[in-house]
């Protein structure tokens, strides 16, 4: 038949992040003062003057920026011979196995020959709706314990089948794949993906919310593959205990959502059993169905994974330090439990979790008042995170960002510092225990997490008579609850979320610094129509924090709100308050298709606070964000795809002052040889910056502009290269130029290497230094706000090598050397509020002299016949670091692993503000390293 598939943007790469080889993905963040760019495979974050805009232009748009085999934008319609069920969906029939099935990839048992064949595949790309180059056949069997899927993929040239070795859940490999995706909830929104390549590399992913995916979901299943003269085969065994469904007594048995997809790397082709193209507005909602599953008993689902580990830390230190140990050894015992409850819910618990095998965070230099966001990497918190996701609207341009649940708050670094000659303090707060309940029960999605972290103390030593210990992190309980109900056949949902953080603050110092309690409640919704081509989403939430007057005073003065600003008449700093409340609300409408776009509006009140268990950088704004674009995804003589788009962001604070203006225009092209080019230019007209003075008056933000260019080579090449250029300038003469090169290589089928250097040269004219109270500074409300010009150079390198001996035995090596130097000059003060005018010391006002013996600048001022002076400690810096780790991972039986980990960190600092590569690079390796050695053994017990 001939049909029309709903077009869309965000669904286009719902399978890309692990399903396809992402050979040159550059996930490095280039951080710099007041401006940074963080490119990732699914979205772009652009920070402009401390406020960032999240541009979620189609996921498939980044196929041109980041070469992802098979994740390209294709035509909006299909024409094929696929026979659909009466509801418009193809149906696959499963039959009960007549005997045992041996997983060997041969598909030679009699039961396979008796199973119906599903073979009416269509191309998803490059020729959307076209006939596949080679045919594919699928058969499905089952018994009381498991589902068996046999897939025969014919190939006219079997020697050209791409089959790279990699560890489980690997991304960025060049390979053919087959994906069996099962929606056992039958809700048109959720499914479980089981993928394998021709040499048995496995990937499993949870597809949720129709277009989103959780690549951290893991299941215990098995598959055998075989390459032969006809092509290759995959023979699956997926235990019912790894799926989630409600038992039924109906004679018709289970009816599930079903999809099978095949990727052919050398042709950059995807074939799909249920009609789907990268313009389809939905992903899971486009699946077909599987029936015939009768008499399946309710599976028992109990998994216990105990572990033992031993860690040895060798760090440099002083013999005079009474707490120093050249070898600090720490054994640990703990475990995880997973229990399947009725109706598709899963209870997961952990006791004394050990995250020693988790990759270290990259180095950054953060000269802003905002906290650096690092993604979660710990397995316990990653799995099931989709259920706890709240308030994320669907908009291709969304200003600002709030993470209502930021799991890295749990087990964070202790928040109180101790000033002493010698201090013995833990780096992280141990998690005593945590439990979460996640899953779907009919139309209800449920998520709940509760975690407890223990009180931590630090020992200090100044002298024999001045030593002891003090608490640095209190006993804390974290709770997150989430519920969502699907309506209208999965096209609508409404949901809610509550969070709570409660601290035991018996210590007066901690009570003056930390909030005793923090609470949030909110609702969100989504509604789609026209086969998900149009989507409306929205959320609203309120927050309340409680504590001592000192703790709430710090909250009011925090960099996200600055209630002490002298020219902000609409907020009031109340040092007697013991609580603070606020709210947030957002509404967005998005259209996907060849003409795509979105409109979003958001309001975040000055008192909104979620940082105890969430993450937010700024509050106090109202914003309207728009985007409109066009995409053509029908291959032509030269271009395979292209798109262009424009967007705007206009934000005002609650005093109706313009705090952000942004206009951007850009486009992407991908050529038929799979080279791609992305370019855009951003213009920021003048607005006011309410955070430049760090709690002082408003300052004027000058006109700025920023062109970007990204070029990527053919992702099928053995070495794939991505080159990017980013150049930001403003009227004051400030500029920041970043160039980055990523090379991704496959020297052998079992080796995958990548290297990505990035260099940023920045000149800033408004680097904040300090403020000094002075009643004579009436133009700036009784304080002087000191700034400087900053010349900063930053060079970083991400290097990674993955060596795969077998799909269950791998070695991963990662290293990130990092150099950054900054030199301050032209010290000055803001001349008047609501301006970008400065008075330079020693030229326009006063005198300035550098005292090398004190390492400080002395500033002398004369006002009204009185002379005052103050000092500025030399702020120049030169930072060198090397973060690296090596992880040998052996999955010696399904879900049971043995880790050998070596982590090394080197760091150094001095006040040489000049950047010299040879000197600074050599200094990294002259620094004494901290080495951590870890052995961890886990054992899976399940039934």
């Amino acid at each position: 038949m001939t049909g029309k598939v709903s077009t869309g943007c965000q669904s286009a790469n719902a399978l890309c992040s692990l399903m396809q080889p992402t050979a040159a993905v550059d996930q490095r963040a280039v951080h710099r003062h007041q401006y940074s760019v963080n490119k990732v495979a699914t979205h772009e974050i652009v920070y402009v003057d401390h406020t960032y805009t999240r541009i979620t232009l189609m996921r498939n748009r980044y196929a041109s920026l980041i070469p992802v085999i098979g994740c390209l934008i294709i035509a909006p319609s299909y024409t094929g011979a696929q026979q659909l069920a009466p509801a418009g969906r193809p149906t696959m029939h499963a039959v009960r196995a007549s005997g045992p099935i041996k997983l060997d990839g041969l598909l030679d048992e009699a039961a396979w020959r008796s199973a119906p064949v599903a073979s009416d595949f269509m191309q998803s790309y490059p020729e959307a709706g076209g006939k596949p180059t080679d045919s594919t056949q699928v058969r499905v069997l089952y018994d009381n314990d498991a589902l068996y899927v046999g897939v025969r993929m014919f190939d006219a040239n079997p020697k050209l089948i791409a089959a790279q070795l990699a560890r489980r859940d690997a991304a960025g490999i060049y390979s053919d794949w087959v994906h069996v995706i099962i929606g056992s909830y039958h809700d048109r929104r959720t499914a479980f993906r089981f993928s394998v390549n021709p040499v048995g590399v496995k990937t499993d992913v949870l597809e949720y919310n129709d277009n989103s995916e959780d690549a951290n979901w893991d299941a215990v299943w098995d598959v055998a593959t075989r390459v032969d003269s006809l092509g290759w085969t995959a023979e699956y065994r997926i235990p019912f205990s790894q799926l989630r469904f409600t038992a039924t007594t109906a004679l018709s048995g289970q009816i599930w959502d079903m999809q099978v997809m095949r990727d052919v790397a050398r042709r950059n082709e995807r074939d799909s059993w249920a009609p789907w193209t990268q313009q389809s507005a939905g992903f899971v909602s486009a699946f077909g169905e599987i029936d015939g599953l009768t008499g399946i008993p309710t599976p028992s689902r109990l998994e216990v994974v105990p572990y033992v580990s031993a860690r040895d830390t060798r760090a440099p230190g002083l013999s005079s330090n009474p707490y120093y140990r050249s070898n600090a050894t720490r054994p640990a015992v703990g475990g995880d439990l997973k229990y399947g409850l009725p109706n598709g819910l899963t209870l997961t618990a952990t006791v004394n979790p050990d995250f020693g095998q988790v990759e270290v965070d990259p180095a950054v230099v953060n000269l802003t008042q905002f906290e650096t966001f690092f993604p979660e990497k710990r397995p316990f918190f990653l799995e099931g995170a989709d259920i706890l996701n709240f308030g994320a609207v669907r908009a291709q341009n969304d200003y600002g960002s709030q993470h209502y649940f930021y799991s890295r708050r749990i087990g964070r670094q202790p928040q109180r510092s101790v000033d002493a000659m010698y201090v013995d303090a833990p780096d992280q707060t141990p998690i005593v225990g945590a439990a979460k309940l996640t899953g779907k029960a009919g139309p209800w999605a449920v998520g709940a997490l509760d975690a407890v972290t223990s009180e931590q103390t630090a020992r200090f030593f100044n002298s024999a008579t001045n030593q002891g210990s003090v608490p640095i992190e209190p006993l804390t309980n974290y709770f997150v609850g989430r519920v969502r109900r699907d309506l209208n056949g999965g096209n609508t949902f409404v949901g809610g979320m509550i969070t709570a953080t409660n601290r035991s603050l018996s210590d007066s110092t901690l009570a003056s610094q930390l909030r005793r309690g923090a609470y949030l409640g909110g609702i969100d919704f989504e509604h789609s129509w026209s086969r998900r081509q149009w989507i409306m989403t929205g959320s609203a939430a309120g927050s309340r924090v409680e504590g001592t007057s000192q703790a709430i005073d710090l909250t009011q003065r925090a960099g996200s709100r600055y209630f002490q600003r002298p020219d902000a008449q609409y907020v009031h700093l109340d040092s007697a308050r013991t609580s603070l409340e606020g709210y947030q609300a957002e509404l967005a409408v998005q259209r996907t298709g060849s003409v795509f776009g979105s409109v979003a509006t958001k309001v975040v009140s000055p008192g909104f606070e979620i940082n105890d268990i969430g993450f937010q950088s700024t509050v106090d704004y109202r914003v309207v964000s728009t985007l409109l674009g066009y995409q053509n995804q029908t291959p032509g003589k030269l271009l395979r795809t292209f798109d262009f788009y424009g967007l705007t962001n206009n934000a005002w604070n609650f005093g109706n002052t313009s705090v952000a203006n942004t206009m951007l225009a850009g486009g992407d092209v991908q050529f038929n040889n799979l080279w791609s080019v992305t370019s855009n230019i951003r213009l920021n007209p003048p607005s006011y910056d309410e955070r430049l003075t760090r709690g002082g008056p408003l300052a004027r933000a000058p006109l700025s502009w920023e062109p970007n260019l990204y070029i990527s080579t053919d992702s099928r090449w053995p070495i794939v290269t991505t080159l990017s250029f980013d150049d930001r300038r403003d009227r004051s003469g400030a500029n920041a130029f970043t160039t980055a090169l990523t090379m991704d290589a496959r020297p052998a089928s079992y080796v995958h290497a990548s290297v990505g250097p990035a260099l940023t040269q920045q000149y800033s004219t408004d680097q904040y230094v300090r403020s000094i109270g002075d009643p004579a500074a009436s133009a700036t409300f009784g304080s002087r706000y000191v700034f400087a010009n900053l010349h900063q150079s930053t060079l970083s390198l991400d290097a990674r090598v993955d060596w795969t001996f077998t799909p269950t035995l791998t070695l991963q090596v990662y290293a990130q050397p990092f150099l950054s130097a900054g030199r301050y000059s032209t010290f000055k003060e803001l001349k008047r509020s609501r301006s970008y005018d400065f008075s330079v010391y020693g030229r326009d006002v006063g005198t300035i002299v550098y005292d090398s013996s004190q390492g400080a600048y002395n500033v002398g001022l004369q006002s009204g016949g009185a002379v005052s002076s103050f000092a500025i400690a030399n702020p120049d810096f030169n930072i060198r670091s090397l973060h690296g780790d090596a992880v040998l991972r052996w999955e010696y039986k399904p879900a049971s692993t043995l880790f050998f980990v070596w982590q090394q960190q080197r760091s150094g600092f001095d006040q040489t503000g000049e950047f010299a590569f040879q000197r600074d690079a050599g200094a990294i390796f002259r620094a004494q390293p901290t080495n951590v050695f870890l052995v961890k053994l886990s054992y899976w017990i399940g039934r």
Side-chain angles (χ1 to χ4, degrees):
M1 69 175 285
T2 300
K4 182 79 172 177
V5 176
S6 299
T7 59
C9 295
Q10 288 190 332
S11 65
N13 278 342
L15 285 180
C16 288
S17 65
L18 288 180
M19 182 174 295
Q20 299 288 0
T22 54
V25 173
D26 181 6
Q27 296 186 346
R28 173 184 55 257
V30 181
H31 293 261
R32 55 193 186 273
H33 172 57
Q34 292 191 335
Y35 180 75
S36 64
V37 175
N38 183 1
K39 297 285 183 186
V40 297
T42 57
H43 62 276
E44 172 186 304
I45 299 177
V46 179
Y47 297 75
V48 180
D49 297 326
H50 305 306
T51 306
Y52 60 85
T53 300
R54 179 164 55 93
I55 306 170
T56 56
L57 296 175
M58 312 154 294
R59 288 177 137 189
N60 55 11
R61 184 172 80 80
Y62 287 100
S64 60
L65 168 61
I66 302 169
V68 180
I69 299 251
C71 295
L72 305 175
I73 308 169
I74 306 301
S77 63
Y78 70 91
T79 303
Q82 178 72 53
Q83 297 301 310
L84 305 184
R89 303 178 186 274
T91 300
M92 192 177 297
H93 301 280
V95 299
R96 184 171 286 273
S98 56
I101 303 297
K102 180 182 178 181
L103 290 189
D104 54 13
L106 291 176
L107 304 178
D108 55 354
E109 288 85 0
W112 288 120
R113 293 191 293 272
S114 66
V117 177
S119 59
D120 289 332
F121 280 66
M122 56 155 276
Q123 275 196 48
S124 294
Y125 50 77
E127 185 183 346
K131 182 180 179 181
T133 306
D134 292 301
S135 62
T136 303
Q137 297 179 347
V138 183
R139 295 174 172 86
V140 181
L141 304 170
Y142 70 98
D143 57 24
N144 284 345
D145 300 315
L147 188 75
Y148 300 86
V149 182
V151 188
R152 155 62 72 180
M153 287 147 286
F154 293 95
D155 196 310
N157 296 288
K159 292 182 179 180
L160 299 180
I161 292 173
Q164 186 174 353
L165 272 173
R167 65 166 290 177
R168 180 171 177 164
D169 290 341
I173 67 172
Y174 178 70
S175 182
D176 288 19
W177 289 92
V178 63
H179 317 284
V180 173
I181 317 169
I182 302 168
S184 53
Y185 285 122
H186 195 40
D187 62 356
R188 307 296 189 207
R189 299 183 68 90
T190 313
F192 306 95
R193 169 158 68 88
F194 305 89
S195 304
V196 69
N197 80 346
V199 289
V201 177
K202 296 162 61 177
T203 291
D204 37 22
V205 171
L206 172 65
E207 310 287 346
Y208 68 96
N209 202 19
D210 195 11
N211 292 309
S212 303
E213 64 178 27
D214 178 6
N216 301 288
W217 177 77
D218 287 318
V220 182
W221 54 287
D222 207 356
V223 64
T225 61
R226 186 177 294 265
V227 178
D228 56 26
S229 61
L230 299 178
W232 65 289
T233 59
E235 190 172 23
Y236 285 82
R237 183 183 187 273
I238 303 171
F240 290 128
S241 63
Q242 303 302 300
L243 303 174
R244 299 293 179 264
F245 57 92
T246 303
T248 178
T249 57
L251 294 178
S252 59
Q254 299 282 341
I255 298 178
W256 294 344
D257 301 328
M258 184 74 174
Q259 177 68 287
V260 179
M261 291 178 160
R262 173 191 180 181
D263 295 334
V264 184
R266 69 182 186 275
R267 289 193 291 264
N268 193 23
E269 178 181 330
R270 169 168 293 171
D271 303 328
S272 300
W273 170 69
W276 177 86
T277 75
Q278 291 189 317
Q279 283 255 358
S280 298
F283 181 66
V284 178
S285 58
F287 283 12
E289 294 180 342
I290 182 171
D291 62 12
L293 300 165
T294 60
I296 301 175
T298 302
S300 60
R301 298 191 291 264
L302 176 63
E303 302 175 24
V304 181
V305 186
Y307 82 86
V308 294
S309 70
R311 179 197 303 263
D312 180 49
T313 302
R314 299 176 58 88
L318 300 174
S319 58
S320 57
N321 184 349
Y323 308 123
Y324 174 66
R325 300 290 183 272
S326 58
N327 284 283
T329 304
R330 189 183 73 188
V333 177
D336 298 334
L337 177 144
K338 185 182 294 185
Y339 180 64
L341 299 173
N343 297 321
L345 299 179
T346 301
L347 174 66
T348 308
T350 184
V351 176
N352 191 30
D354 185 304
F355 303 116
Q357 77 278 11
V358 175
E359 187 175 283
V360 296
D361 291 320
V364 297
V365 174
N366 187 345
L367 300 179
T368 75
Q369 71 272 44
F370 299 116
E371 177 185 5
T372 300
F373 180 89
F374 290 110
E376 180 62 87
K377 300 178 182 179
R378 300 171 295 177
F380 174 80
F381 294 104
L382 285 169
E383 187 169 343
D386 62 290
I387 295 291
L388 299 175
N389 183 37
F390 168 82
V393 300
R394 293 184 183 271
Q396 293 146 343
N397 175 22
D398 184 23
Y399 175 96
S401 177
Q402 291 82 36
H403 298 266
Y404 295 92
F405 174 45
Y406 181 45
S407 56
R408 290 193 64 144
R409 301 294 186 205
I410 304 173
R412 68 191 301 170
Q413 183 177 357
Q415 299 174 78
R416 178 184 177 184
S417 60
V418 180
D419 184 14
M421 182 182 297
Y422 299 113
V423 177
D424 179 28
D427 295 330
Q428 303 294 328
T429 304
I431 300 171
V432 177
K436 59 183 177 180
L437 178 69
T438 57
K440 295 202 67 176
W444 292 93
V446 178
L449 180 146
D450 193 83
V452 177
T453 58
S454 60
E455 180 183 66
Q456 296 299 293
T457 60
R459 297 184 295 171
F460 67 89
F461 180 91
N462 289 312
S463 66
T465 58
N466 183 7
Q467 58 179 310
S469 63
V470 294
I472 57 174
E473 182 72 17
L475 174 70
T476 307
N477 187 89
Y478 301 90
F479 174 79
V480 180
R482 172 76 160 129
V483 65
R484 190 183 72 227
R485 193 185 195 285
D486 294 340
L487 302 165
N488 190 25
N491 290 313
T492 305
F493 78 71
V494 293
M497 185 177 192
I498 58 174
T499 69
T501 305
N502 291 285
R503 298 184 175 96
S504 177
L505 294 172
S506 57
D507 179 77
S508 59
T509 301
L510 283 178
S512 67
Q513 296 176 351
L514 304 179
R515 294 178 283 267
R516 180 180 63 254
Y519 311 99
L520 176 133
I523 58 174
D524 61 351
F525 78 93
E526 176 181 302
H527 175 65
S528 65
W529 63 98
S530 296
R531 299 185 68 180
R532 300 191 64 81
Q533 188 175 43
W534 289 88
I535 300 178
M536 176 183 288
T537 49
S539 67
S543 69
R544 177 183 174 88
V545 293
E546 302 171 349
T548 64
S549 58
Q550 299 97 320
I552 300 303
D553 182 75
L554 289 176
T555 303
Q556 296 176 80
R557 295 176 181 270
S560 58
R561 54 184 54 84
Y562 288 138
F563 277 15
Q564 70 272 31
R565 287 173 307 181
D567 55 353
Q569 302 301 317
Y570 59 96
V571 292
H572 174 59
L573 176 65
D574 183 354
S575 297
R577 296 187 67 156
T578 56
S579 65
L580 184 68
E581 297 81 24
Y583 63 89
Q584 175 272 339
E586 185 171 12
L587 181 68
V589 178
Q590 173 180 282
R591 185 190 192 277
T592 57
S594 56
V595 176
F596 59 91
S598 66
V599 177
T601 182
K602 182 191 296 186
V603 55
V604 183
S605 77
F608 191 62
E609 176 58 58
I610 60 174
N611 276 312
D612 292 271
I613 199 170
F615 187 98
Q616 68 179 134
S617 293
T618 59
V619 295
D620 184 15
Y621 63 86
R622 302 182 179 97
V623 63
V624 176
S625 303
T626 67
L627 182 143
L628 181 65
Y630 173 78
Q631 56 182 337
N632 186 315
Q633 299 164 358
T634 302
K637 293 182 179 180
L638 176 63
L639 298 181
R640 187 182 183 108
T641 66
F642 70 87
D643 63 70
F644 53 87
Y645 47 87
L647 65 84
T648 64
N649 287 302
N650 298 99
W652 302 263
N653 65 18
F654 272 53
N656 294 321
T657 298
S658 173
V659 293
N661 291 313
T662 297
M663 295 180 286
L664 180 144
D668 311 275
V669 297
Q670 185 171 56
F671 299 93
N672 286 325
N673 61 3
L674 296 190
W675 281 60
S676 58
V677 176
T678 294
S679 183
N680 60 64
I681 183 167
R682 178 185 301 271
L683 179 67
N684 298 303
S687 61
Y688 289 98
D689 191 332
E690 55 191 345
R691 291 175 172 82
L692 184 65
T693 57
R694 313 291 174 92
L698 284 171
R700 186 72 166 166
L703 172 73
S704 65
W705 57 95
E706 176 191 0
N708 300 282
L709 177 65
Y710 310 91
I711 303 171
S712 298
T713 63
D714 188 343
S715 55
R716 297 170 298 184
W717 288 3
I719 299 179
V720 182
T721 302
T722 299
L723 184 62
S724 65
F725 303 94
D726 181 282
D727 188 19
R728 182 178 188 263
R729 299 177 181 273
D730 68 30
R731 270 285 172 80
S732 72
N735 60 82
F737 181 76
T738 297
T739 180
L741 173 68
T742 300
M743 292 184 293
D744 193 282
R746 302 184 301 271
S749 63
Y750 49 86
V751 178
H752 180 204
S754 63
V755 60
L759 175 65
T760 298
Q761 298 281 355
Q762 176 186 346
Y763 171 64
S764 172
T765 57
D766 58 5
Q767 174 59 54
Y768 178 82
V769 177
R770 62 172 299 186
S771 64
I772 304 100
D774 187 347
S778 58
T780 51
F781 300 91
S783 292
R784 299 184 185 274
Y785 297 91
V786 182
F787 294 84
N789 294 349
L790 172 64
H791 299 260
Q792 183 178 355
S793 299
T794 301
L795 176 64
S796 65
L797 174 70
D798 285 349
R800 184 185 302 272
V801 177
D802 297 340
W803 193 295
T804 306
F805 305 99
T806 72
T808 59
L809 179 62
T810 59
L811 174 65
Q812 293 183 301
V813 180
Y814 169 78
Q816 189 212 36
F818 180 88
L819 306 173
S820 186
R823 177 174 55 84
Y824 288 70
S825 65
T826 316
F827 291 90
K828 52 195 173 182
E829 64 181 50
L830 186 66
K831 186 177 294 186
R832 66 184 67 85
S833 66
R834 303 178 74 91
S835 76
Y836 199 78
D837 298 329
F838 299 93
S839 296
V840 177
Y841 296 134
R843 189 191 71 187
D844 303 324
V845 62
T847 61
I848 183 168
V849 178
Y850 182 66
D851 184 348
S852 58
S853 63
Q854 298 295 321
Y857 294 89
N858 293 316
V859 178
L861 297 171
Q862 184 172 359
S863 177
V867 176
S868 61
S869 63
F870 61 89
I872 303 171
N874 183 2
D876 293 351
F877 62 87
N878 191 299
I879 298 172
R880 290 98 51 178
S881 71
L882 173 64
H883 291 181
D885 55 28
V887 180
L888 181 68
R889 180 184 186 274
W890 178 32
E891 188 174 352
Y892 60 92
K893 61 169 289 186
S896 300
T897 53
L898 175 64
F899 290 96
F900 292 94
V901 180
W902 170 39
Q903 293 182 344
Q904 183 178 101
Q905 297 192 39
R906 298 172 182 259
S907 61
F909 174 86
D910 62 41
Q911 287 188 315
T912 304
E914 298 294 337
F915 182 89
F917 173 75
Q918 186 173 358
R919 179 200 64 203
D920 296 340
I924 292 179
F925 296 98
R926 289 191 295 270
Q928 290 184 289
T930 295
N931 290 292
V932 178
F933 302 93
L934 172 78
V935 178
K936 180 179 179 181
L937 175 71
S938 65
Y939 186 83
W940 181 83
I941 304 168
R943 62 176 177 84

